[in-house]
Amino acid sequence: MNNWNIPVYNAIKKYSLSNPTPFHMPGHKLGKGIPAEFLGNPSLIDLTEIPGTDNLHYPSGAIKEAQELAAAAFGADRTFFLVNGSTCGIHAMIMTICNPGDKIIVGRDCHRSVIGGMILAGASPVYIKPDYDTRFGISTVITPQKIEKALSENPDAAGVLITRPNYYGICSDIEAIAGIVHSYGKILAVDEAHGAHLKFSPLLPPSAMEAGADMCVQSAHKTLPAFTQGAYLHVKTGRVNVERLKFNLSLIQTSSPSYVIMAFLDIARAIMENQGQELLERLLENVRRFDEQLKASDGLITLSTAGENDFRQDSSRLVINVRKTGKTGYGVEKVLREKYNIQVEMSDLHNIVCITTAADRAQDFEYLSRALLETVRGNSDIPGSYDSYVCDLPIPHQKIELAGIMRHEGEKVRISNAAGRTSLAMVTPYPPGIPVICPGEVVMAETIEYLARVMVSGGIVNGIEANGEITVAK
């Protein structure tokens, strides 16, 4: 079998056996966050709907009990297990809120799955532009005032969907937003994919369910000891049509759900319910020590210690700004990976982002700190940053409605020649998976310039083909 051509398996095995330091999802960190008794042969729990194992789409036994335990642990009235990731939950939420032709108010910093959900639902977005932090070059919060303005100008909108926390751990004021949304009689849905851990520590911002949201999705695999694609959809039942939500989930989720994923959704809940507060206290103490160590650097700044923030951040999310070092985030990420075997979650022009979880150890943080300090003091061959270039892109004009996008014939043009054309592609630096051009939008010259800088600096952009072409409407 050693000479079999099995590239996916070989690639995964090569990485896992290289003794990496993973500051990326999944949150179990190569199994470190899962008790050994649960890490036996996964084939023994890879089952199907037989007597005694229950049925995800019509639960009446073990899955029903596990979902009820999750609802109690996360502060929801109902919780649904998701085996197709938060993406399918986001699609189901939008399809439950919106009828074809309805408007939905959406933060522009949404994940690409939100755009997909609006296409499936036949809904039209009313985008809200988040605030912007020029120090780090990142979007921050959707303010309650912007929500109020959008609702007053669009009283026919079916609901509101925002992302919180965002990829950088920044948390909008859900409590105030929920009050405004409910005063208009609307539903508030939250993409809380990066916040499944928030409920389990008073030292962190409150979860969406605690703060008054009607629905939220959480990617358990991002920050909890769960397997990839495992997610929760939590519901407060007062305003949500739960039967419609269940029907939509039955359409979108696979009819052959993974019992491995469901088992670890249950295990992750039990770990956090019984040990979560203690585990997160230890994690946050490690983060605090890391922040102190980084103060010895010449130019590295973490978002949580930057000062003068007018927003609240999940302090377990490490956002390390490298602009003052004269290097790009992409370049620093590459050195960490190739020289130190540290893999971060993502990088952008100015920052690297590390997902930390209760599975990370004190020595992981110490190693990351040492590697970062050595990297910025040396490695003059890392490409220089665009220090004066901080780009807060405007929202493009929507020329073709999302609902009709698939009826339009396309053609390929080079992205450098696409200004003024209407995109049929979703163009997304990935990660973080936030589209800068959505289907049906007119391509702007400043967006082209931004994407060029991302790509020449080492970033990856989905939606632009290897030959530099993009699909636009004929």
Side-chain angles (χ1 to χ4, degrees), residues 45 88 131 165 197 207 293 393 418:
I45 57 172
C88 75
D131 287 356
H197 59 298
S207 69
Q293 290 166 354
L393 292 170

Side-chain angles (χ1 to χ4, degrees), residues 379-396:
N379 294 290
S380 58
D381 56 335
I382 298 178
S385 70
Y386 295 96
D387 186 59
S388 62
Y389 184 80
V390 177
C391 184
D392 183 12
L393 292 170
I395 297 174

Side-chain angles (χ1 to χ4, degrees), residues 94-406:
I94 295 172
M95 292 168 68
T96 300
I97 294 169
C98 297
N99 293 315
D102 279 352
K103 295 178 184 176
I104 183 169
I105 295 168
V106 176
R108 180 63 189 194
D109 60 339
C110 63
H111 187 262
R112 58 177 296 151
S113 59
V114 175
I115 310 301
M118 291 189 290
I119 291 173
L120 291 173
S124 297
V126 176
Y127 291 119
I128 299 178
K129 200 168 185 298
D131 287 356
Y132 194 80
D133 188 305
T134 56
R135 302 166 304 167
F136 281 70
I138 60 176
S139 296
T140 59
V141 296
I142 302 288
T143 64
Q145 293 79 10
K146 289 182 179 180
I147 295 287
E148 176 86 59
K149 184 174 185 291
L151 284 166
S152 65
E153 293 175 352
N154 299 275
D156 54 339
V160 175
L161 191 156
I162 67 169
T163 303
R164 184 266 193 192
N166 66 13
Y167 223 118
Y168 301 93
I170 296 170
C171 295
S172 297
D173 185 349
I174 287 287
E175 208 161 22
I177 289 171
I180 292 167
V181 172
H182 294 157
S183 72
Y184 281 83
K186 309 296 183 183
I187 291 174
L188 174 62
V190 179
D191 174 0
E192 199 171 42
H194 289 267
H197 59 298
L198 296 178
K199 174 67 168 61
F200 300 99
S201 175
L203 302 175
L204 297 172
S207 69
M209 285 288 98
E210 293 175 285
D214 298 297
M215 289 189 285
C216 80
V217 294
Q218 296 174 337
S219 291
H221 68 94
K222 285 183 169 65
T223 59
L224 302 187
F227 278 16
T228 297
Q229 287 187 220
Y232 307 107
L233 198 167
H234 303 303
V235 184
K236 293 286 190 181
T237 56
R239 297 175 181 84
V240 177
N241 184 334
V242 176
E243 291 305 311
R244 180 170 176 172
L245 178 63
K246 287 165 60 179
F247 178 77
N248 287 329
L249 284 171
S250 73
L251 294 179
I252 293 169
Q253 293 219 83
T254 175
S255 58
S256 301
S258 166
Y259 277 76
V260 177
I261 292 173
M262 288 190 287
F264 278 91
L265 284 173
D266 202 16
I267 290 167
R269 182 271 312 160
I271 291 171
M272 298 307 291
E273 193 171 30
N274 289 286
Q275 302 175 328
Q277 184 166 338
E278 176 186 349
L279 291 171
L280 290 173
E281 282 179 2
R282 186 180 67 195
L283 167 65
L284 294 173
E285 177 58 23
N286 285 331
V287 170
R288 186 194 65 77
R289 287 200 202 100
F290 173 85
D291 286 338
E292 287 297 317
Q293 290 166 354
L294 225 61
K295 287 180 180 178
S297 71
D298 183 17
L300 293 174
I301 305 169
T302 60
L303 185 59
S304 58
T305 60
E308 300 180 1
N309 293 334
D310 56 357
F311 51 78
R312 194 165 179 197
Q313 190 215 8
D314 166 15
S315 53
S316 73
R317 183 60 52 95
L318 289 183
V319 181
I320 304 158
N321 186 267
V322 302
R323 282 178 67 194
K324 291 185 178 179
T325 69
K327 300 171 173 62
T328 65
Y330 302 122
V332 172
E333 176 190 358
K334 184 179 180 185
V335 171
L336 291 175
R337 180 174 62 251
E338 294 181 353
K339 184 175 180 180
Y340 297 94
N341 205 13
I342 295 172
Q343 181 59 60
V344 304
E345 172 64 22
M346 65 161 283
S347 60
D348 59 31
L349 282 169
H350 307 298
N351 310 284
I352 62 170
V353 178
C354 298
I355 288 182
T356 75
T357 73
D360 292 309
R361 304 162 298 183
Q363 56 262 41
D364 298 325
F365 289 91
E366 291 164 6
Y367 183 48
L368 176 64
S369 172
R370 177 165 61 83
L372 280 167
L373 292 173
E374 291 176 2
T375 296
V376 299
R377 287 169 182 159
N379 294 290
S380 58
D381 56 335
I382 298 178
S385 70
Y386 295 96
D387 186 59
S388 62
Y389 184 80
V390 177
C391 184
D392 183 12
L393 292 170
I395 297 174
H397 171 62
Q398 185 90 36
K399 190 171 183 179
I400 300 173
E401 289 296 320
L402 284 175
I405 202 70
M406 289 182 285

Side-chain angles (χ1 to χ4, degrees), residues 54 58-66:
D54 207 358
Y58 303 97
S60 60
I63 295 174
K64 179 176 182 289
E65 182 182 359

